[in-house]
Amino acid sequence: MTPRAADRARYDRATAHLDAPVAIVDLEAFDANAADLVRRAGGKPVRVASKSVRCRALLERVLAREGFEGIMSFTLDESLWLARAGFEDVLLAYPSADRKGFGELARDPKLAAAVTVMVDDVAQLDLMDASRAGGTEELRVCLELDTSLRLIEGRIRVGALRSPLREPAQLAELARSVVRRPGFRLVGIMAYEGHVAGVGDAVAGRPLRSRAIRLMQAAARRELAERRAAVVRAVRAVAPDLEFVNGGGTGSVQHTAAEDAVTEIAAGSGLFVPRLFDNYTSFSGRPAALFAQPVVRRPGVGVVTVLGGGYPASGAPGRDRLPVPYLPEGLRYDPREGPGEVQTPLLGSPADDLRIGDKVWFRHAKAGELCERFESLQLVEGDRITATVPTYRGEGRTFL
C-alpha cells in the first residue's frame, strides 16, 4: 500500500460515520508542517496568517507551539473579533476603509492595544481620524513596503500591486507623518514578497520556466534584502522604538529569516499545504487539509460523478486555481466539464472501484479558502476524529 493509499484508508475509516461533503485536517500533518516552519525560520518568531487557516481552534493550536507569535489578519472586522476572543497581537495585513471598525478601535483600550493597522498613504490616516467618533485611544500603525522587482529601468515589474511605498525616503516621509500626528503610534514595517513566497519554482513538466522563476527569485531576494535593510534604517531614524519588521511567506521563510533587518516571519499556507505549494525546491510539506465529495453516479466504464466540488481559488483564472482530485490516486477531470457547481465527473481506472456513496478526497488550490465552503473541520488523528471545530463560516463570520 502506498503512503497515499494508507492515508485514504485512514480518512475513510475516520469519517465512515459521516456523509460527504466533509472537510478534514490531519493533525499529524498539520503539526509536522508547523514544526517545519519554525525550523526554517531559524529562531525568528512566525506570525500566523489567519486567512490561510480561518479556524479559531487551529489558530489557538498553532500559537500554543513554541516559535509562533501573533496573528496576521485580513480585515479589520476579523481583527477586532479575534482581539475580543483573547488574541493579544493581531497585525492587519491590508489597509481598511471600515469606518465603524476604526471607531470601535479608537474607543476600546483593549482592542487598541491588541490590533495594529496597515497604512501606505496619509489619506488612510485621515479616514481613521474622521472615524474616531469621539474615541481617543492611540492607534498602532504599521507601514507596508512594496517588494516588487523592477527591471529595465522600471519598465518590467514582477510582483503584486500592493503598496505605493518603495524607496527608503518614501517610507521615512510617511513615518514622520505618523509620529507627528496625535493619536497614532508607529510600531512596525511589513513587506510581503509574494513573487518569491507564493510562486513555486519547480513547475511540473516546465524545466525552462522553472529555471527562469528561480533566476528571477534569486535576483528579487538580493534586491529586496538590500532595499529592505535601507528602509528599516530610514524608518528607525524617525521611529527608534519600532517593535517589528515583518516579512516573508510560506515559500520564502528561510530566505527572509536570514535578513538581519527582519525580526519576524509571516506564514500560514504552509500549515495546510494546499496544491499551489507543491512546486517548491526549497521545502516540502504534507497535505493536511482535504475535503471529500460523495460519488452519486456511475455514468460508464472509467467514470464516476461526485456531488459538487467546483471550489475555485482566487487569483488569475487557470487550471492551477482548481482543486485537484487526490484520493484515490489516478482520477482526473473531464476536460470538457472540469469541477462543477453541482456535479463533477471524474475519469480514470480507479473510478471502476468506487461505489455510490464512496468518498473522493480533494485538495484545494489555496489554504484558508477551503473554510469558506464548510461550517466545520473534522480533526483527524490516526484513523479517528478527535474533535469537530467550527470554521469562521461555522461561527457565522464571513469577513470578505
Side-chain angles (χ1 to χ4, degrees):
M1 183 179 290
T2 67
R4 278 174 61 174
D7 283 342
R8 181 195 174 201
R10 288 195 300 114
Y11 302 151
D12 282 348
R13 285 196 298 270
T15 62
H17 62 294
L18 297 175
D19 288 334
V22 63
I24 67 167
V25 171
D26 183 331
L27 290 180
E28 181 181 330
F30 181 89
D31 290 344
N33 293 335
D36 190 57
L37 288 172
V38 171
R39 177 190 64 78
R40 291 166 59 208
K44 293 186 177 178
V46 178
R47 184 181 291 272
V48 184
S50 63
K51 77 178 182 66
S52 299
V53 179
R54 303 193 203 197
C55 171
R56 279 202 298 164
L58 290 175
L59 290 173
E60 291 167 354
R61 183 184 183 92
V62 73
L63 286 170
R65 298 180 64 95
E66 186 175 352
F68 288 88
E69 294 180 17
I71 287 176
M72 176 176 282
S73 59
F74 58 96
T75 74
L76 182 55
D77 192 19
E78 180 211 13
S79 306
L80 300 177
W81 179 64
L82 291 172
R84 291 191 190 97
F87 295 94
E88 298 179 347
D89 180 5
V90 183
L91 169 63
L92 175 57
Y94 307 88
S96 176
D98 182 352
R99 293 177 173 84
K100 179 176 178 291
F102 284 128
E104 294 177 31
L105 191 63
R107 293 191 300 270
D108 190 315
K110 177 185 174 182
L111 297 180
V115 175
T116 301
V117 298
M118 190 67 59
V119 300
D120 56 31
D121 193 312
V122 171
Q124 294 154 353
L125 300 175
D126 294 339
L127 186 146
M128 284 186 255
D129 261 339
S131 305
R132 284 181 178 272
T136 59
E137 294 299 322
E138 187 176 62
L139 302 186
R140 294 168 53 84
V141 170
C142 178
L143 309 182
E144 182 170 4
L145 166 67
D146 168 40
T147 66
S148 63
L149 176 65
R150 306 286 181 88
L151 303 170
I152 313 178
E153 298 180 341
R155 291 195 290 272
I156 295 177
R157 173 196 177 106
V158 182
L161 288 164
R162 290 179 64 114
S163 172
L165 305 176
R166 179 172 181 82
E167 301 302 330
Q170 294 175 299
L171 281 99
E173 181 181 358
L174 184 55
R176 284 189 286 271
S177 297
V178 173
V179 300
R180 288 196 297 252
R181 193 163 185 149
F184 296 91
R185 179 155 61 99
L186 180 58
V187 298
I189 299 171
M190 187 195 87
Y192 171 57
E193 52 268 38
H195 50 303
V196 178
V199 178
D201 63 349
V203 185
R206 304 287 297 276
L208 294 180
R209 177 174 173 78
S210 298
R211 176 167 173 75
I213 291 172
R214 288 194 289 273
L215 290 172
M216 176 277 291
Q217 291 179 339
R221 289 196 300 267
R222 290 192 298 270
E223 187 276 335
L224 179 59
E226 181 177 337
R227 184 159 52 88
R228 180 154 40 199
V231 164
V232 172
R233 287 193 298 269
V235 173
R236 286 196 185 277
V238 177
D241 297 329
L242 208 64
E243 296 175 12
F244 65 85
V245 176
N246 180 282
T250 288
S252 67
V253 170
Q254 65 271 36
H255 302 298
T256 307
E259 295 182 33
D260 291 338
V262 175
T263 67
E264 64 175 38
I265 308 300
S269 295
L271 296 169
F272 283 178
V273 187
R275 65 167 294 196
L276 279 177
F277 286 83
D278 285 347
N279 303 317
Y280 286 78
T281 57
S282 61
F283 82 103
S284 62
R286 293 174 55 182
L290 299 94
F291 67 94
Q293 304 295 118
V295 173
V296 293
R297 297 184 203 257
R298 292 174 52 86
V301 176
V303 186
V304 291
T305 300
V306 299
L307 180 71
Y311 305 156
S314 59
R319 291 183 60 83
D320 65 343
R321 301 291 145 165
L322 301 179
V324 60
Y326 184 60
L327 302 170
E329 298 180 67
L331 293 174
R332 65 187 187 278
Y333 293 124
D334 181 337
R336 296 168 297 180
E337 295 196 42
E341 177 187 10
V342 292
Q343 71 165 33
T344 297
L346 296 170
L347 313 180
S349 59
D352 294 329
D353 296 323
L354 292 169
R355 299 168 297 176
I356 300 297
D358 283 351
K359 295 180 176 76
V360 174
W361 295 91
F362 293 78
R363 294 172 64 200
H364 204 280
K366 286 193 170 182
E369 291 184 24
L370 167 66
C371 294
E372 300 297 341
R373 300 286 184 166
F374 292 88
E375 293 185 350
S376 63
L377 299 172
Q378 308 298 325
L379 305 186
V380 173
E381 296 186 68
D383 62 356
R384 64 192 182 95
I385 292 170
T386 56
T388 300
V389 296
T391 61
Y392 280 11
R393 174 179 171 178
E395 296 199 64
R397 301 288 176 166
T398 51
F399 295 109
L400 280 176

